[in-house]
Every structure is written in structure tokens, then in C-alpha cells.
Amino acid sequence: MSRGKENVTGVTEFLLLGITSDPEQRQVLFWLFLCMYLVTVAGNTLIILVIGSHPRLHTPMYFFLINLSFVDICFTTNLIPKLLVNHVAGTWTISYPHCLTQMYFLISFANLDTFLLAAMALDRYVAICKPLLYHTIITPQLCRGLTTLMWTCSGLISLVHTLLMNGLTFCSSAREILHFYCDAYLLMKIACSDTRVNQHMFLGAVVLFVAPCALIVVSYIRIATAVLRIPSALGRRKAFSTCSSHLSVVTLFYGTVLGVYIRPPKSFSVQDTVATVMYTVVTPMLNPFIYSLRNQDMKEAVGRLFSKGSKSS
């Protein structure tokens, strides 16, 4: 109770401890994060341009992929520029309003990632298991409606989290965050006030976060069953090749996220901070390469885009 009587009105900023306190390591990390951020923005922008400029790719799967690429750009832009500015300025503080804003967009874009990956899995399920009904079920109207619903729900979920977090109080003696961004997981840990409502909401958010993963697993079980029924080995390879890129992205994303957040906040460590770099920075950076290198249609479209550009120059 004495902790709650500390100065709770003087906290106007938090201290982000980052990944390491070693100046030399921070210098290396600055250039590493800068390079990864530039590659992420360039790669995902290329995916958007390629799909947008090739009518052959104007299909539901690639419509969701455009949204995923845009979300990945926004996701990393919400986190990395602040980290880079902190390195240049030599200060590791973040203001209270900026912290909540960063948290809002982090939760929103993370939920969007899960919803979009689930929608893409559903698209692959219908394409492989119900091919004759594909164009009847997966219509442009359904895709636009699902996307609008996903963006709206993600924003509302994030808004509830942010409002609940804004209702907490933070003592002036406890403002250090063992991370390079404002994480709701860790903000609850350093709060002075009662966080039970936030913890219940966080548990519900975890369930909501895992639900799309369950949908993806069920979809791929049905897909695998359908593919194994195909008599020819060539037919099985062709059917599975349409899913391999998406399955790689899902494994990379959920594997790192669940590895960190499936445990209680008090067990969070520096190793977990390093692990979060995988899904906040590395995964958005690798997604364009996975989809362009493992997808024949994308490889051909990228090649045509560059050859068209070289001819025009």
C-alpha cells in the first residue's frame, strides 16, 4: 500500500532500457535496425507495387497480402524510428502520451497481422478444398467486408487496452521499461495501482490472439487431408506450393510471438526482449522475400516490373 502513496503524478515519461546498455553494442544495433527498417519498407512497398500493377494478381489472396504488407510497414514504423532517434540523441526516454500511442498502434497492428493471416488461410482452404465454389464463396465483396471488419475490430480492441492502461497510475520511482518500446505486458508490471482488470483484459486479448491461430491450424489440417487425396505427386506439389509461402510466414510470426507472451509478465527477461525483435522487426522484413521467392506468380511479376522499368529508362 505504501507504494501507492508515492508520487504518482510526476511520471511524464518512461525510460526504455532497450536491448543492451553497452555503448558499442548500441552503435552496432543502430545500424542493424536502420538497415532492417529500410529493407522492410522497401520490400513491402515493392510487394504492394507489384500486386497493384499486375491485373493477374488482383485476386483475394493478394488483396490480403497487400494489406499485410501495408500493416508490416506501419508496424515497424511505429517502433523503429523512435529507437533510431533515441540512439542518435543519446536519450532513452519516451513521453507518457507517446508511450500510450505507441502501445495503441502496436496492439492494433499485431491483431491485424493475426486476422489477415487467418483470412489468407481461409482463402487457401476454400481454393484447395472447395475449388468449384471458390469464386462463389470468396468474392471481392467478402474480401472488402472482412478487411473493413478486421481493421475496425483491431482498432477497437487496441482502444480498450489503451484506455484501461491510461487509467493506471505509475510511481515516479518505477518508470523503467525493460524493452525498446512501450509494451502493455511490461507497463502493467511497473504500475502502482490495481491491474487486475487490465490482466483479465490481457488474458482475453491472448485468447483472441490465439483464436486466429487455431483457425489457421484447422484450415491446414483440412488442406493437408485434401492434398493427400490427390493421386499424382505433381498435383500434390502444385497444391501445396500455393500454401508454402503463407505457412512459412505463419510459422515465423506465431512461433516467436507465442514463445514470448504465453508466459506471465513477471517472467519477462532480456532474452524475451531479444526474441520480440523477431516478430517486430525480422518477420516484417522477411515476409516480402518469402512471398517473392517462394511464389512463382510473384517472382514472374517482380521480374516483369523490373524489366519494364529497365526498358523505360
Side-chain angles (χ1 to χ4, degrees), residues 230-270:
I230 298 175
S232 70
L234 180 61
R236 289 194 294 270
R237 282 198 300 271
K238 284 185 176 180
F240 187 72
S241 67
T242 64
C243 306
S244 59
S245 300
H246 176 256
L247 191 57
S248 300
V249 171
V250 167
T251 303
L252 185 62
F253 178 78
Y254 271 104
T256 52
V257 172
L258 294 179
V260 174
Y261 290 108
I262 204 167
R263 292 177 295 161
K266 62 183 179 181
S267 66
F268 203 88
S269 64
V270 176

Side-chain angles (χ1 to χ4, degrees), residues 205-223:
V206 170
V207 173
L208 187 61
F209 193 83
V210 173
C213 182
L215 176 62
I216 293 170
V217 171
V218 172
S219 297
Y220 272 105
I221 290 174
R222 300 292 297 273
I223 288 171

Side-chain angles (χ1 to χ4, degrees), residues 264-300:
K266 62 183 179 181
S267 66
F268 203 88
S269 64
V270 176
Q271 287 73 23
D272 293 313
T273 305
V274 175
T276 57
V277 174
M278 286 297 297
Y279 76 86
T280 57
V281 184
V282 177
T283 300
M285 180 186 69
L286 293 180
N287 284 353
F289 293 99
I290 293 173
Y291 275 102
S292 60
L293 296 178
R294 296 178 65 89
N295 186 301
Q296 189 60 37
D297 289 337
M298 283 296 299
K299 281 195 288 188
E300 292 175 1

Side-chain angles (χ1 to χ4, degrees), residues 140-156:
Q141 294 80 8
L142 176 67
C143 294
R144 288 193 292 268
L146 274 177
T147 304
T148 301
L149 182 62
M150 287 186 285
W151 278 88
T152 303
C153 288
S154 298
L156 290 176

